[in-house]
Amino acid sequence: AAMTFTILLAFLVFFATREMFGSTAALVALTFFVFEPNILAHGALVTTDMGITCLMFASIYAFYRYIKKPTVLRLLLTGRAVGVALAVKHSGVFIFPIIAFLAAIEVFRDLQIAGNNPESRIQTAGRLVIALVVIGGVSVAILWSAYGFRYSMRPPGLTISPTLADFAKKLEPSVAGRAILGVARLHLLPEAYLYGLIDVKVVADNTGTYIFGTVYPHGKWFYFPALLLIKCTVSALILLLSLPVVLFFRRTRHLREILFLAIPPACYFIVAIVSGLNIGVRHILPIFPFLMVLIAYAAWTLIQSNRLWIYPVAALLLFHVVSSVRAFPVSYIPYSNELWGGPSQTYKYLSDSNVDWGQQMIATKNYDGATAKLN
């Protein structure tokens, strides 16, 4: 069942890339996605990570399609995707500011295209404000449905210990704690959902970090940037580094598409950096489908600019596949690229779900079984 999200996301990556940049770029994006070690590592695990990865991409893609051609159906589909994302994982809440930011940029772009027309400015801004309100209303309704439209965490007559108010004291005197208690007083969101939000923040504030052989009491800003350098394939890193050059020479083409692909992962990545919860690449997994599409765009744009680029691009794609296949079948979770020595050396730099997440229990069982037979 968990793999359903991964398979759906593969389809979304293909169709989104095809709609934005064409069929060839879509095939490149799909190939990079299918052989992405971090997707293969977490794509079949019963966790919330692939769920939010799929639904965040689905939400942004749905909003992009609404912006291109505003219809009631596309608006409702966006609200539905955002709502399920909220229900899947608490980090889904960050979709709201992201789409609001994208809407604001769309208003600004519309002004540049249409000129300084006050009527156009008001119409565009008004339509998008209404759209955001509808998306918010539909998504919150779906979130409530996931909790059975019941506010209380426990059935009538039973209380949770500690209570939400007492648990929120762990966040005082933060703005987040006061905001959550304000929402709770008005019963705007389910109590269990709000309790979870507090728990996420409490865990983030009290979790240490291990990186490059050193244990830190709290999160470090360089953790996730270093994680990308270690956990992404060399091919993906090279094409990502080529992206600024490609954008510089093609900055007037596909601007809307680039903004919708670059802003969401950038915002999410910044939130991850400041969150303080440094325990695994899975926490930034939602940025990967966006990166795969951007990588495909960079590769295809290079080929279009000069056919000779097809050879280095093909070589990078092949190396990406080979690097991934070499990790089959048990080294996807501890995967690190060749610059860092490969999966067998990851433990020197990282820990937690970057290296092992229970899959070695199978190896331990097999070892015990083999030992018993020998005895």
Side-chain angles (χ1 to χ4, degrees):
M3 290 172 62
T4 304
F5 288 111
T6 309
I7 296 170
L8 175 60
L9 182 54
F11 279 102
L12 289 172
V13 166
F14 177 81
F15 286 115
T17 311
R18 188 176 70 170
E19 182 173 348
M20 294 177 179
F21 308 121
S23 297
T24 305
L27 288 172
V28 174
L30 183 61
T31 304
F32 267 99
F33 178 85
V34 167
F35 288 96
E36 168 54 45
N38 297 290
I39 296 295
L40 292 171
H42 297 274
L45 300 183
V46 186
T47 67
T48 56
D49 300 312
M50 279 307 302
I52 190 60
T53 301
C54 173
L55 290 161
M56 178 168 285
F57 188 82
S59 299
I60 301 302
Y61 179 40
F63 190 58
Y64 162 80
R65 301 194 80 236
Y66 169 77
I67 291 293
K68 278 183 59 179
K69 185 180 179 181
T71 66
V72 174
L73 178 59
R74 291 187 175 190
L75 182 60
L76 294 178
L77 285 175
T78 304
R80 183 177 180 178
V82 175
V84 180
L86 289 176
V88 164
K89 192 170 184 176
H90 284 93
S91 55
V93 73
F94 296 116
I95 297 177
F96 286 119
I98 290 173
I99 62 174
F101 188 29
L102 290 171
I105 291 176
E106 193 64 27
V107 172
F108 180 74
R109 288 189 65 250
D110 186 69
L111 292 177
Q112 287 186 318
I113 295 171
N116 191 20
N117 186 336
E119 185 176 349
S120 174
R121 177 168 49 222
I122 294 173
Q123 288 178 346
T124 302
R127 175 175 60 81
L128 288 175
V129 167
I130 293 173
L132 292 175
V133 171
V134 172
I135 291 170
V138 171
S139 60
V140 170
I142 291 175
L143 176 64
W144 272 100
S145 72
Y147 289 86
F149 295 100
R150 188 182 77 187
Y151 171 76
S152 299
M153 289 181 65
R154 305 194 69 186
L158 298 176
T159 58
I160 190 71
S161 181
T163 64
L164 180 67
D166 290 336
F167 196 34
K169 291 178 181 179
K170 295 186 177 183
L171 300 182
E172 292 181 352
S174 70
V175 175
R178 291 194 294 270
I180 290 173
L181 287 178
V183 172
R185 280 191 293 270
L186 297 174
H187 289 197
L188 297 179
L189 294 174
E191 185 181 32
Y193 182 79
L194 297 174
Y195 207 96
L197 281 177
I198 296 172
D199 185 64
V200 169
K201 181 61 176 172
V202 169
V203 170
D205 291 342
N206 295 277
T207 301
T209 297
Y210 174 86
I211 187 167
F212 298 136
T214 302
V215 178
Y216 300 94
H218 299 291
K220 305 301 291 186
W221 69 266
F222 57 82
Y223 179 84
F224 285 111
L227 211 60
L228 284 182
L229 293 176
I230 297 171
K231 302 288 281 184
C232 285
T233 66
V234 173
S235 299
L237 291 174
I238 291 174
L239 286 171
L240 281 175
L241 290 174
S242 73
L243 187 60
V245 178
V246 170
L247 292 177
F248 178 79
F249 288 104
R250 296 292 184 100
R251 58 183 177 273
T252 58
R253 296 189 61 188
H254 302 297
L255 180 58
R256 173 186 282 161
E257 287 74 14
I258 297 303
L259 291 173
F260 270 79
L261 291 170
I263 288 175
C267 292
Y268 198 87
F269 193 64
I270 291 171
V271 170
I273 289 175
V274 301
S275 70
L277 188 58
N278 298 162
I279 60 175
V281 70
R282 65 190 182 90
H283 287 294
I284 56 169
L285 211 60
I287 77 173
F288 277 84
F290 295 95
L291 297 185
M292 297 300 104
V293 180
L294 288 171
I295 284 171
Y297 167 76
W300 181 232
T301 302
L302 288 171
I303 293 172
Q304 284 182 312
S305 65
N306 190 323
R307 289 293 175 182
L308 293 177
W309 275 106
I310 194 171
Y311 300 107
V313 167
L316 289 173
L317 185 59
L318 178 61
F319 189 71
H320 175 80
V321 172
V322 170
S323 181
S324 177
V325 171
R326 287 177 60 191
F328 179 84
V330 296
S331 296
Y332 285 118
I333 285 183
Y335 176 85
S336 61
N337 63 51
E338 289 73 13
L339 299 178
W340 300 89
S344 65
Q345 303 301 310
T346 309
Y347 74 95
K348 296 179 179 178
Y349 317 111
L350 303 168
S351 65
D352 209 274
S353 56
N354 290 311
V355 178
D356 176 85
W357 211 3
Q359 76 274 15
Q360 287 307 313
M361 294 299 291
I362 299 172
T364 302
K365 178 182 177 182
N366 293 336
Y367 175 81
D368 289 341
T371 303
K373 290 180 179 179
L374 288 175
N375 293 335

